[in-house]
Amino acid sequence: MRSFILGVLGCSLVLSAQAFYSASDDVVELNPSNFNKEVLQSDSLWLIEFYAPWCGHCQSLTADWKKAATTLKGIVKVGAVDADQHKSLGSQFGVKGFPTIKVFGANKNKPEDYQGGRTSQAIVDGAMKSLNSLVKDRLSGKSGGSGYKQSGGGGAGSKQDVVELTDDNFDKMVLQGEEVWLVEFFAPWCGHCKNLEPEWTAAASAVMEQTKGKVRLGAMDATVHQAVSGRYGIRGFPTIKIFRKGEEPEDYQGGRTRGDIIARALDLFSDHAPPPELLEILSEDTLTKTCVDSQLCVIGVLPHILDTGAAGRNGYLEVMTKMAEKYKKKSWGWLWTEAGTQMELEAALGIGGFGYPAMAAINSRKMKFALLRGSFSEAGIHEFLRELSVGRGSTATLGNGSMPKVHTVAPWDGKDGQLPEEDDYDLSDVDLDDDDFLSKIEL
């Protein structure tokens, strides 16, 4: 009996954790099956929350999200995606943490990040602001669209982002280029190729944006350009191959939806991308650019050089560099500074002038930060960042809600620190009983 009750209780807990939204709510539950029809082909403005059932911040948002959806009913569509279950949708739109809210306006292929508050009133205000902007664009004749829709329908993307490959340009662009390539070999009469076309186009636009052109999608009509197609033994359509410079091509083995294609492209990008550079905070530009350009910037505050020497400091920098490599798929920014150099920054982060080395992670979009509470080690930092990346970390508002002042300083020269030299005085011929002696010394 006891085990039965525990089992029922366990099931109810699982159901309550997962059932964020039901059919009776005004929040539309979205998944790979209905996302294309409901959102991408819609003329409506959408606010969509990407969440994970185990995420505490997502659970806290649920009531306000439902209330906002009810308030906006018939005006703005409000949806939700369980991105933990439907990872392909999360990958397609660059979701890296939970909850992430995106605004799908005129160009559904390139949604904007929602930057407002998380109360129902703030969400409604943000939605109405986006709707007002959309209406103004339409009145002025700006479509804001992607500029191209495939003949197969249902795909938002620009055909310009799919590179048309031929026998003449293939070697120069694909084999000699620095980019990683996914190439579709197709035939115009092939039904499966026609079905793939809108997915390939939408994926190409997303991959171009998210990898900054480091991974490209191309397409080759294998019935026309038979020299390259014959070289790689293309016999069925569509055939997709992956090309990396200096390596043998490999067959693409993933799914054929845009989400599957994007996810594979991002994996290829991460595998070959160098880790982000670990930068010393030398000026306000360093801090601002790194934190604004990244979803999260990780800042290490290291002990004074006199306390550690060059070897000790390099040890801490090596730990941070390894963590940057480990988390390079996140595309976070990585910074460091010497204790006592940027006091306003330390004060804003609540570091308080002791306990070095210290570490904080800043989300400049939300003006929130979190502090490393564990050890400044690979294991300690990994646990800290892992919790943050899944939405479990404890956060606080950054200072007064704005980026702190940063002073311009000289870069570390890579050497051990030296104590400042003091003036030497020759006292061999001085009468120490002379009352005027001390008054003559300029301290």
Side-chain angles (χ1 to χ4, degrees):
M1 181 65 178
R2 180 173 178 271
S3 61
F4 172 76
I5 293 173
L6 289 174
V8 172
L9 177 61
C11 289
S12 66
L13 287 174
V14 170
L15 288 172
S16 64
Q18 293 181 341
F20 275 25
Y21 308 104
S22 65
S24 62
D25 295 320
D26 293 312
V27 177
V28 181
E29 275 277 18
L30 298 165
N31 56 58
S33 299
N34 67 3
F35 196 92
N36 185 46
K37 181 178 180 180
E38 291 283 350
V39 181
L40 299 184
Q41 296 184 40
S42 168
D43 290 327
S44 300
L45 178 75
W46 278 84
L47 259 68
I48 299 177
E49 172 203 6
F50 294 83
Y51 70 90
W54 40 257
C55 162
H57 294 301
C58 303
Q59 293 168 17
S60 300
L61 177 63
T62 303
D64 284 293
W65 198 246
K66 289 180 181 179
K67 187 175 180 180
T70 299
T71 304
L72 293 166
K73 186 175 182 180
I75 304 170
V76 173
K77 297 288 189 74
V78 177
V81 175
D82 181 347
D84 190 49
Q85 178 181 358
H86 306 300
K87 292 182 173 62
S88 61
L89 279 177
S91 296
Q92 180 176 342
F93 297 107
V95 174
K96 298 175 182 176
F98 305 116
T100 291
I101 300 173
K102 289 186 176 285
V103 181
F104 289 74
N107 187 348
K108 297 296 193 297
N109 193 52
K110 294 183 179 180
E112 298 177 356
D113 289 330
Y114 169 78
Q115 305 286 3
R118 300 300 173 95
T119 65
S120 58
Q121 184 61 57
I123 294 165
V124 170
D125 291 343
M128 295 308 295
K129 183 178 178 181
S130 296
L131 183 61
N132 186 46
S133 177
L134 177 62
V135 171
K136 285 183 177 179
D137 285 345
R138 288 180 178 176
L139 284 172
S140 64
K142 297 178 182 176
S143 66
S146 59
Y148 180 82
K149 285 194 175 181
Q150 291 287 0
S151 57
S158 173
K159 191 174 182 180
Q160 294 177 351
D161 293 328
V162 177
V163 180
E164 183 180 352
L165 296 169
T166 67
D167 285 339
D168 294 331
N169 67 11
F170 183 88
D171 286 3
K172 182 177 180 180
M173 296 193 73
V174 178
L175 301 185
Q176 298 171 24
E178 298 297 328
E179 303 88 352
V180 178
W181 284 82
L182 280 78
V183 177
E184 175 204 3
F185 295 88
F186 69 92
W189 43 258
C190 162
H192 292 301
C193 302
K194 293 176 181 178
N195 292 335
L196 176 62
E197 187 180 25
E199 303 299 312
W200 196 250
T201 301
S205 296
V207 170
M208 167 70 80
E209 181 179 7
Q210 294 183 40
T211 69
K212 295 180 172 60
K214 299 297 184 183
V215 179
R216 301 299 309 272
L217 269 65
M220 173 176 281
D221 184 344
T223 64
V224 174
H225 306 288
Q226 297 182 11
V228 171
S229 301
R231 185 195 311 172
Y232 296 108
I234 305 301
R235 293 183 175 85
F237 306 112
T239 292
I240 302 173
K241 286 186 176 288
I242 298 168
F243 293 85
R244 305 178 183 88
K245 186 176 182 179
E247 300 181 22
E248 288 296 314
E250 66 176 90
D251 291 331
Y252 170 84
Q253 304 288 358
R256 301 298 174 93
T257 68
R258 68 195 67 187
D260 294 327
I261 298 163
I262 292 167
R264 183 68 178 106
L266 292 179
D267 282 340
L268 291 167
F269 172 66
S270 299
D271 290 343
H272 291 268
E277 187 179 3
L278 176 59
L279 301 173
E280 184 180 2
I281 301 176
L282 302 177
S283 66
E284 192 167 334
D285 285 346
T286 309
L287 178 68
T288 302
K289 180 169 175 49
T290 302
C291 290
V292 169
D293 287 352
S294 308
Q295 184 186 33
L296 208 67
C297 57
V298 182
I299 301 175
V301 183
L302 307 184
H304 195 281
I305 191 63
L306 292 175
D307 295 328
T308 63
R313 174 167 292 181
N314 283 326
Y316 291 130
L317 293 175
E318 182 179 359
V319 169
M320 291 190 68
T321 300
K322 288 182 178 179
M323 289 296 98
E325 169 72 34
K326 188 177 188 70
Y327 283 88
K328 68 179 182 179
K329 289 186 179 182
K330 300 290 186 181
S331 298
W332 292 341
W334 291 77
L335 301 167
W336 71 275
T337 185
E338 181 179 79
T341 301
Q342 305 292 351
M343 294 304 296
E344 287 89 344
L345 176 61
E346 291 187 39
L349 297 173
I351 292 175
F354 63 91
Y356 304 114
M359 176 173 284
I362 296 177
N363 184 327
S364 65
R365 298 173 186 173
K366 299 177 182 177
M367 284 300 161
K368 298 284 188 179
F369 76 95
L371 282 176
L372 170 67
R373 303 294 182 183
S375 64
F376 197 100
S377 63
E378 290 182 46
I381 296 173
H382 171 59
E383 179 65 18
F384 168 59
L385 297 177
R386 187 183 68 82
E387 291 290 299
L388 281 181
S389 65
V390 297
R392 293 177 182 168
S394 176
T395 61
T397 301
L398 180 64
N400 61 359
S402 61
M403 295 297 285
K405 180 180 179 181
V406 169
H407 300 281
T408 300
V409 297
W412 178 45
D413 60 8
K415 301 177 182 178
D416 289 325
Q418 293 183 345
L419 288 169
E421 295 183 1
E422 297 182 356
D423 293 332
D424 293 327
Y425 295 97
D426 183 5
L427 304 179
S428 61
D429 59 349
V430 174
D431 181 0
L432 296 181
D433 292 329
D434 185 353
D435 292 336
D436 294 332
F437 171 69
L438 291 178
S439 65
K440 298 176 181 177
I441 299 179
E442 294 182 0
L443 297 179

